[in-house]
Amino acid sequence: MAIKTRDKISTKDEGNTNNVTCPACNETVSMRLFTTKDTTLVAKIKGEDKNIYISVCPNCASVFSVNTNYLKERDKGTYVLLTESDLKLIQNNNG
């Protein structure tokens, strides 16, 4: 399901990841993946990629940016596994 905002940015739920150890809480979890896409006319004309790929830990609710190559390969149908090195902490909600 995609959610559109008035700023012409849509957010899409990409499902769950494989089991991975959360860098924030050190629990093994299946994180939820989301992508955002800028659909404004300016972004289309300039050809700027403002897509954001994030994952959320279901245990501690920390938010991570995801390596763009992971989702690109996943979207192509390639079997890929998310690892801790694919995650960069954006917001630590652990405690």
Side-chain angles (χ1 to χ4, degrees):
M1 178 173 136
I3 301 169
K4 291 187 179 182
T5 65
R6 70 173 220 258
D7 296 328
K8 304 238 184 208
I9 296 176
S10 64
T11 302
K12 183 178 176 188
D13 185 344
E14 296 285 346
N16 288 336
T17 67
N18 54 284
N19 286 341
V20 62
T21 302
C22 173
C25 67
N26 294 317
E27 293 292 326
T28 301
V29 295
S30 177
M31 294 193 182
R32 197 69 173 187
L33 290 173
F34 298 93
T35 58
T36 62
K37 185 174 184 178
D38 187 350
T39 58
T40 61
L41 184 59
V42 174
K44 289 179 184 176
I45 291 171
K46 288 186 173 184
E48 293 178 357
D49 184 10
K50 293 189 177 181
N51 297 340
I52 300 170
Y53 307 100
I54 62 169
S55 64
V56 180
C57 175
N59 186 52
C60 67
S62 293
V63 180
F64 302 89
S65 65
V66 178
N67 183 333
T68 56
N69 290 333
Y70 169 79
L71 275 174
K72 286 180 184 176
E73 290 299 319
R74 185 175 186 243
D75 289 344
K76 288 180 188 176
T78 306
Y79 180 75
V80 291
L81 294 173
L82 186 72
T83 63
E84 289 180 55
S85 63
D86 292 320
L87 302 171
K88 181 179 177 188
L89 185 65
I90 297 174
Q91 177 68 44
N92 188 348
N93 294 321
N94 188 15

